[in-house]
Amino acid sequence: MANYYDIDDILAEEELVPTVFQHGANGVGLFDSSDDADKVEAGSRAELPFWLVRELYLRQLVSIRVPPCFDRESKTREEIAADAAHVDLRSRSPYFYELGCKIALLIRDRTIGPFLLVAFQTRYRDVLVKAHALTLTMTPKYLTLLTNEETKLYEAGQSSIAAFKKWRMGGPRFQVAPVLGRKRKLT
Amino acid sequence: MASASDPHASAFSAAELEFLAEDETIEIVPNLKMDALNFISGDFGPFRPQIPAQAPLWLAVALKKRGKCTIRAPEWMSVVNLTQVLEAERDSDKFQPLPFHYVEISRLLIDHARDDIPDIYMVRSLVEDIKDVRFHKIGKGLESISAGGTFALKLKNLSAMEANIVRPFVTRALETFYKLGSSDMIQETDHAPNRQQTADRGPRRQLKDR
C-alpha cells in the first residue's frame, strides 16, 4: 500500500504469483478451474495476483512458490549473471523490479534483493548509453527487452535530449496561443 | 513548451531556460540616448551613445534587433579563452568553470549579434566542441553511478542546460537504485532469521503436499 495512487504500483500487484493452498476452501473454484466442485483442495497449485496472495499468505492460507524469474536456481539468474543487458526481462514480467521487491519483502528472501540490484546496475548502463546515442528509428527493437521501469527511464533520457536538440536547431521561436489563431467572431 | 505537453520531461524546457538566461547582464555600447531604466532586478543605464553600459541580455537583444546598440561579447566567449577551456576540458576529468547559462547565452548571441562577435564561426564551433566534450563526460559520470557502493553523483560546475537535460533520467535512475539498494532489500540477513523460519514453514507444507 505504499503508493495508493500510483497506477504502476497497482498494475505491478496484478502480476501472477504461483502459490500452493495450505487448506481446502469451498466456494472459490474459480482459482482452480479443473472441476465443477467449486472448491479448492489443500495442496493444489494456482497462480494468483500478488495483491490477493499477500493477504492469503499473511493469514497462512497459501504458501508462495517463488516465481521462476526470481528463483535461486533459475535460468534467469544465470542469464543475468552472464549478460544482463540482453536478457528479455519484459517477457518475464513487465514489473520485474517492483514485483521482486514486493515478493522479497513478503517472504523475506534475502537473495532476491542483491540479485535485483545487480541486474539493474548492469542494465542501467546499457539503457544510459542507448538513450543518449540511439536514433529514434532503432528504438522499437531494443525497447521490447526492457521492463516498464527501464522503459520509462529510457524515455526520460531520450525525450530530454530530443527536446534540447530541437531547441538548438531553432524550432519555432514563438508559439501562437490557441486563442489567437481563431478568427474573430462577427458580432 | 515541452513541460506543458509532457509532464515527464524536464522540469524546465529549453526555451524556459533561455528565458532565465536572458536575465544575465552583458555589456552593450548603445548608440542612442536613454534615461536610466528601473527594473525589479536593478537599475540600468543611463545610456549615452558610445559609452559602454551594463544591461540585461533580453534588453541588449531587443535593442540590437532595432539597431540601437552593439553588444560586447563577454570575455569567456573569446577564441583564446574558449580554446583554453576546450583543452582543459579534454585533459581533465573535471568540468571547467563556465557561466551557468553558457549554452543559452552563446546561442542567443550567435543568433542575434553575429556581427558583434569576432571570429564568430570559430567561436561557434568551439562552443559546440566544449559542449560535446562535457556531454560525453556527463555520460561517463552517469555510468559510474552504478559502480560504487553509494549511489551518488558529483557534478561540479555543471551548467543549467546540462543539468536540465540529464535531470529526468538521473532522478529516475537514482530513485530506482535507492529502492533496490535500500536496507530493507539488502541487509535483510541478520535480524530476519526468526521470522524466516516461521515464514518458511517447510515441514508443514510437506505434510499437506502429499
Side-chain angles (χ1 to χ4, degrees):
Chain A
M1 287 292 150
N3 299 309
Y4 188 77
Y5 292 106
D6 183 358
I7 186 69
D8 285 317
D9 198 59
I10 296 168
L11 289 175
E13 299 204 342
E14 286 280 306
E15 292 288 306
L16 296 177
V17 177
T19 52
V20 179
F21 277 85
Q22 298 290 326
H23 303 279
N26 282 326
V28 288
L30 76 161
F31 291 149
D32 188 15
S33 55
S34 54
D35 54 3
D36 298 333
D38 197 24
K39 69 178 196 176
V40 174
E41 300 288 337
S44 63
R45 301 180 165 190
E47 290 208 329
L48 306 178
F50 179 82
W51 53 268
L52 184 59
V53 169
R54 178 169 55 201
E55 298 304 322
L56 294 178
Y57 181 78
L58 291 176
R59 289 164 178 74
Q60 309 212 333
L61 291 171
V62 298
S63 71
I64 293 180
R65 292 158 56 220
V66 179
C69 49
F70 304 116
D71 203 15
R72 216 160 299 182
E73 273 97 40
S74 68
K75 213 173 134 204
T76 310
R77 285 221 180 180
E78 285 169 16
E79 284 177 20
I80 293 274
D83 186 6
H86 296 95
V87 181
D88 184 359
L89 284 186
R90 194 178 190 83
S91 67
R92 261 79 173 198
S93 161
Y95 295 95
F96 186 77
Y97 299 110
E98 291 90 336
L99 187 66
C101 283
K102 285 173 192 291
I103 287 182
L105 287 179
L106 188 63
I107 64 174
R108 309 211 164 264
D109 186 330
R110 59 183 91 143
T111 63
I112 292 181
F115 161 65
L116 289 179
L117 187 61
V118 167
F120 185 69
Q121 270 175 346
T122 33
R123 289 168 69 85
Y124 157 81
R125 209 170 291 194
D126 218 53
V127 172
L128 171 76
V129 171
K130 293 230 160 79
H132 287 191
L134 273 195
T135 51
L136 284 171
T137 49
M138 279 181 70
T139 49
K141 199 176 153 201
Y142 177 64
L143 283 180
T144 54
L145 299 181
L146 299 180
T147 69
N148 256 34
E149 180 72 34
E150 289 162 343
T151 311
K152 281 195 185 151
L153 190 60
Y154 175 84
E155 276 166 4
Q158 180 98 57
S159 70
S160 59
I161 294 249
F164 171 70
K165 281 190 176 149
K166 196 175 151 199
W167 171 79
R168 209 182 37 170
M169 289 306 152
R173 303 291 294 175
F174 293 103
Q175 277 190 328
V176 180
V179 179
L180 296 177
R182 263 183 273 156
K183 276 187 182 168
R184 204 175 290 172
K185 269 183 201 162
L186 295 172
T187 48
Chain B
M1 236 166 80
S3 58
S5 59
D6 179 10
H8 295 297
S10 338
F12 292 107
S13 72
E16 283 162 347
L17 278 182
E18 185 185 314
F19 178 79
L20 293 178
E22 285 179 336
D23 273 342
E24 301 281 314
T25 56
I26 195 168
E27 194 170 65
I28 61 170
V29 181
N31 56 17
L32 83 169
K33 202 173 159 190
M34 187 163 66
D35 288 335
L37 300 167
N38 307 316
F39 298 138
I40 293 176
S41 54
D43 298 346
F44 296 98
F47 301 100
R48 298 278 174 270
Q50 305 312 320
I51 309 272
Q54 295 288 322
L57 191 54
W58 59 265
L59 182 64
V61 169
L63 288 175
K64 175 74 194 170
K65 274 185 189 163
R66 287 160 182 74
K68 304 287 189 199
C69 76
T70 56
I71 294 177
R72 289 245 175 113
E75 265 176 36
W76 58 266
M77 264 182 86
S78 67
V79 173
V80 181
N81 188 34
L82 287 178
T83 320
Q84 275 175 3
V85 170
L86 179 59
E87 272 169 20
E89 207 63 77
R90 280 189 177 140
D91 288 343
S92 88
D93 285 339
K94 296 197 176 101
F95 292 95
Q96 300 304 309
L98 273 174
F100 188 53
H101 288 292
Y102 83 97
V103 182
E104 301 91 313
I105 293 176
S106 62
R107 165 154 181 203
L108 275 171
L109 291 185
I110 287 169
D111 275 5
H112 297 293
R114 348 187 88 244
D115 44 344
D116 294 341
I117 305 170
D119 300 318
I120 181 157
Y121 291 106
M122 197 66 193
V123 168
R124 185 160 69 179
S125 66
L126 278 171
V127 171
E128 286 288 300
D129 287 353
I130 290 174
K131 200 201 75 224
D132 289 345
V133 173
R134 287 171 68 111
F135 265 88
H136 182 68
K137 256 189 227 176
I138 293 172
K140 278 182 129 182
L142 291 184
E143 275 181 42
S144 70
I145 292 186
S146 55
T150 55
F151 305 113
L153 188 62
K154 187 179 177 187
L155 296 169
K156 208 184 160 198
N157 286 331
L158 202 65
S159 80
M161 190 61 86
E162 289 155 354
N164 196 50
I165 287 174
V166 295
R167 181 179 294 130
F169 183 86
V170 171
T171 46
R172 272 212 103 88
L174 286 179
E175 258 173 34
T176 312
F177 271 126
Y178 177 72
K179 199 173 78 186
L180 295 179
S182 67
S183 51
D184 274 358
M185 296 292 298
I186 299 298
Q187 291 163 345
E188 184 88 339
T189 46
D190 293 333
H191 53 88
N194 298 331
R195 276 175 287 179
Q196 172 92 21
Q197 280 173 355
T198 56
D200 197 16
R201 294 178 308 150
R204 230 176 119 189
R205 194 190 306 157
Q206 279 175 358
L207 284 176
K208 295 269 176 185
D209 236 332
R210 271 172 298 191

